[in-house]
Amino acid sequence: MVVALILGLVGLGAPWVVVELPTGAVGQAGVTEVAPASFSATLAAVAAWGATLLTRRTATRVISALHVALAVTAAVLMVRALLATDSVVESVASGASGVIGALTAAEATVTWSPGWISLWGLVLFALIASGVWGIVAPGSRRQRRSKYERADHAEELDPWESLSDGNDPTSR
């Protein structure tokens, strides 16, 4: 998951599409412009993943299910945005020219970045996989134990723990 977060941050500002207009103006758009709903759902999935780090087993499973739902939604929204390329190109062209609706997608030269789009897909796949892992294996009890809880089967007590129990570790 940490690798996915790093890759997501690296690809955040990368251009997914570059639009060159006949006037010479150039516009570009990244994930936040091409698929803003996918980006928002991805942020919510990352927040759900962070919440699972603080919860116990049952809550982790519930939040992980929400995490998976958000990540799958982000993937569907990304595919949906990539299928509507004409509206994305026209939006970028309008921003680059400064005149809304003056140019169509056919009048512009469009270059897509499959590497950055694939990287975002990899990030979404890692989010889905981590959510599924949270449902299947939410962590052992030992991992989630509070630092103030004692081990159930401590073989040898630490002198400080003996002192906490009311026993003087210096007496023989």
Short mmCIF file of all heavy atoms in Angstrom, two decimals, residues 66-92:
data_model
loop_
_atom_site.label_atom_id
_atom_site.label_comp_id
_atom_site.label_asym_id
_atom_site.label_seq_id
_atom_site.Cartn_x
_atom_site.Cartn_y
_atom_site.Cartn_z
N LEU A 66 -15.74 -1.08 2.90
CA LEU A 66 -15.98 0.27 2.38
C LEU A 66 -14.81 0.71 1.51
O LEU A 66 -15.01 1.30 0.44
CB LEU A 66 -16.20 1.24 3.54
CG LEU A 66 -16.37 2.70 3.16
CD1 LEU A 66 -17.65 2.89 2.36
CD2 LEU A 66 -16.39 3.56 4.41
N HIS A 67 -13.62 0.41 1.95
CA HIS A 67 -12.39 0.71 1.21
C HIS A 67 -12.42 0.07 -0.18
O HIS A 67 -12.13 0.72 -1.19
CB HIS A 67 -11.23 0.19 2.07
CG HIS A 67 -9.89 0.21 1.46
ND1 HIS A 67 -8.77 -0.03 2.18
CD2 HIS A 67 -9.43 0.39 0.20
CE1 HIS A 67 -7.72 0.02 1.42
NE2 HIS A 67 -8.10 0.26 0.20
N VAL A 68 -12.80 -1.20 -0.26
CA VAL A 68 -12.88 -1.91 -1.54
C VAL A 68 -13.96 -1.27 -2.42
O VAL A 68 -13.74 -1.04 -3.63
CB VAL A 68 -13.17 -3.41 -1.34
CG1 VAL A 68 -13.52 -4.10 -2.65
CG2 VAL A 68 -11.98 -4.09 -0.70
N ALA A 69 -15.10 -0.96 -1.84
CA ALA A 69 -16.19 -0.35 -2.60
C ALA A 69 -15.75 0.99 -3.19
O ALA A 69 -16.03 1.30 -4.36
CB ALA A 69 -17.41 -0.17 -1.72
N LEU A 70 -15.04 1.80 -2.41
CA LEU A 70 -14.56 3.08 -2.90
C LEU A 70 -13.50 2.92 -3.99
O LEU A 70 -13.50 3.65 -4.99
CB LEU A 70 -13.99 3.91 -1.74
CG LEU A 70 -15.02 4.49 -0.78
CD1 LEU A 70 -14.34 4.99 0.48
CD2 LEU A 70 -15.81 5.59 -1.46
N ALA A 71 -12.61 1.96 -3.83
CA ALA A 71 -11.56 1.74 -4.83
C ALA A 71 -12.14 1.21 -6.14
O ALA A 71 -11.72 1.63 -7.22
CB ALA A 71 -10.50 0.79 -4.28
N VAL A 72 -13.11 0.31 -6.05
CA VAL A 72 -13.76 -0.19 -7.26
C VAL A 72 -14.54 0.93 -7.94
O VAL A 72 -14.51 1.07 -9.18
CB VAL A 72 -14.68 -1.40 -6.93
CG1 VAL A 72 -15.59 -1.75 -8.09
CG2 VAL A 72 -13.83 -2.59 -6.54
N THR A 73 -15.19 1.76 -7.16
CA THR A 73 -15.90 2.92 -7.71
C THR A 73 -14.93 3.85 -8.42
O THR A 73 -15.22 4.35 -9.52
CB THR A 73 -16.65 3.67 -6.59
OG1 THR A 73 -17.58 2.79 -5.98
CG2 THR A 73 -17.36 4.90 -7.13
N ALA A 74 -13.76 4.08 -7.83
CA ALA A 74 -12.74 4.93 -8.45
C ALA A 74 -12.29 4.34 -9.78
O ALA A 74 -12.09 5.07 -10.76
CB ALA A 74 -11.56 5.12 -7.51
N ALA A 75 -12.12 3.03 -9.84
CA ALA A 75 -11.69 2.38 -11.08
C ALA A 75 -12.78 2.49 -12.15
O ALA A 75 -12.47 2.79 -13.32
CB ALA A 75 -11.36 0.91 -10.81
N VAL A 76 -14.03 2.28 -11.78
CA VAL A 76 -15.14 2.40 -12.73
C VAL A 76 -15.23 3.84 -13.25
O VAL A 76 -15.42 4.08 -14.45
CB VAL A 76 -16.46 1.94 -12.09
CG1 VAL A 76 -17.66 2.32 -12.93
CG2 VAL A 76 -16.43 0.45 -11.83
N LEU A 77 -15.09 4.80 -12.35
CA LEU A 77 -15.16 6.21 -12.77
C LEU A 77 -13.99 6.59 -13.67
O LEU A 77 -14.14 7.41 -14.57
CB LEU A 77 -15.22 7.11 -11.53
CG LEU A 77 -16.52 7.03 -10.73
CD1 LEU A 77 -16.39 7.79 -9.42
CD2 LEU A 77 -17.69 7.56 -11.55
N MET A 78 -12.83 5.99 -13.44
CA MET A 78 -11.68 6.27 -14.31
C MET A 78 -11.95 5.73 -15.72
O MET A 78 -11.73 6.43 -16.71
CB MET A 78 -10.41 5.64 -13.76
CG MET A 78 -9.19 5.93 -14.61
SD MET A 78 -7.72 5.11 -14.02
CE MET A 78 -7.67 3.73 -15.14
N VAL A 79 -12.43 4.51 -15.81
CA VAL A 79 -12.74 3.92 -17.12
C VAL A 79 -13.82 4.73 -17.82
O VAL A 79 -13.74 5.02 -19.02
CB VAL A 79 -13.16 2.44 -16.96
CG1 VAL A 79 -13.74 1.89 -18.24
CG2 VAL A 79 -11.99 1.61 -16.49
N ARG A 80 -14.82 5.13 -17.07
CA ARG A 80 -15.91 5.94 -17.64
C ARG A 80 -15.39 7.28 -18.17
O ARG A 80 -15.80 7.72 -19.24
CB ARG A 80 -16.96 6.16 -16.56
CG ARG A 80 -18.24 6.69 -17.08
CD ARG A 80 -19.29 6.60 -16.01
NE ARG A 80 -20.21 7.69 -16.18
CZ ARG A 80 -21.08 8.06 -15.29
NH1 ARG A 80 -21.14 7.44 -14.14
NH2 ARG A 80 -21.90 9.04 -15.52
N ALA A 81 -14.48 7.91 -17.45
CA ALA A 81 -13.91 9.18 -17.91
C ALA A 81 -13.05 8.98 -19.15
O ALA A 81 -13.04 9.83 -20.05
CB ALA A 81 -13.09 9.81 -16.80
N LEU A 82 -12.35 7.86 -19.21
CA LEU A 82 -11.50 7.60 -20.38
C LEU A 82 -12.31 7.22 -21.61
O LEU A 82 -11.83 7.35 -22.74
CB LEU A 82 -10.47 6.51 -20.05
CG LEU A 82 -9.39 6.93 -19.05
CD1 LEU A 82 -8.50 5.76 -18.71
CD2 LEU A 82 -8.57 8.10 -19.58
N LEU A 83 -13.52 6.75 -21.42
CA LEU A 83 -14.39 6.46 -22.56
C LEU A 83 -15.01 7.72 -23.13
O LEU A 83 -15.40 7.74 -24.30
CB LEU A 83 -15.48 5.46 -22.15
CG LEU A 83 -14.99 4.04 -21.85
CD1 LEU A 83 -16.14 3.18 -21.36
CD2 LEU A 83 -14.32 3.43 -23.07
N ALA A 84 -15.11 8.76 -22.35
CA ALA A 84 -15.67 10.04 -22.79
C ALA A 84 -14.54 11.00 -23.13
O ALA A 84 -14.47 12.11 -22.60
CB ALA A 84 -16.58 10.61 -21.73
N THR A 85 -13.66 10.59 -24.02
CA THR A 85 -12.45 11.39 -24.30
C THR A 85 -12.76 12.70 -25.01
O THR A 85 -12.06 13.68 -24.80
CB THR A 85 -11.45 10.58 -25.13
OG1 THR A 85 -12.08 10.15 -26.34
CG2 THR A 85 -10.93 9.39 -24.36
N ASP A 86 -13.81 12.73 -25.84
CA ASP A 86 -14.10 13.97 -26.56
C ASP A 86 -14.42 15.12 -25.62
O ASP A 86 -13.97 16.24 -25.82
CB ASP A 86 -15.27 13.76 -27.54
CG ASP A 86 -14.84 12.99 -28.78
OD1 ASP A 86 -13.62 12.86 -29.00
OD2 ASP A 86 -15.73 12.53 -29.53
N SER A 87 -15.20 14.85 -24.58
CA SER A 87 -15.55 15.92 -23.64
C SER A 87 -14.32 16.38 -22.86
O SER A 87 -14.16 17.57 -22.57
CB SER A 87 -16.66 15.48 -22.70
OG SER A 87 -16.22 14.42 -21.87
N VAL A 88 -13.42 15.45 -22.54
CA VAL A 88 -12.19 15.81 -21.84
C VAL A 88 -11.31 16.68 -22.73
O VAL A 88 -10.81 17.72 -22.31
CB VAL A 88 -11.42 14.54 -21.39
CG1 VAL A 88 -10.03 14.90 -20.87
CG2 VAL A 88 -12.20 13.79 -20.34
N VAL A 89 -11.16 16.27 -24.00
CA VAL A 89 -10.32 17.03 -24.94
C VAL A 89 -10.92 18.41 -25.18
O VAL A 89 -10.19 19.41 -25.21
CB VAL A 89 -10.16 16.24 -26.26
CG1 VAL A 89 -9.50 17.10 -27.33
CG2 VAL A 89 -9.35 14.98 -26.01
N GLU A 90 -12.22 18.50 -25.35
CA GLU A 90 -12.86 19.80 -25.56
C GLU A 90 -12.70 20.71 -24.35
O GLU A 90 -12.50 21.91 -24.48
CB GLU A 90 -14.33 19.62 -25.92
CG GLU A 90 -14.53 19.07 -27.31
CD GLU A 90 -15.98 18.75 -27.63
OE1 GLU A 90 -16.87 18.98 -26.77
OE2 GLU A 90 -16.23 18.25 -28.74
N SER A 91 -12.76 20.14 -23.16
CA SER A 91 -12.56 20.92 -21.94
C SER A 91 -11.13 21.47 -21.87
O SER A 91 -10.92 22.64 -21.55
CB SER A 91 -12.86 20.06 -20.72
OG SER A 91 -12.53 20.74 -19.54
N VAL A 92 -10.15 20.62 -22.18
CA VAL A 92 -8.75 21.05 -22.16
C VAL A 92 -8.51 22.08 -23.25
O VAL A 92 -7.80 23.08 -23.04
CB VAL A 92 -7.79 19.84 -22.30
CG1 VAL A 92 -6.35 20.29 -22.43
CG2 VAL A 92 -7.95 18.91 -21.12
#
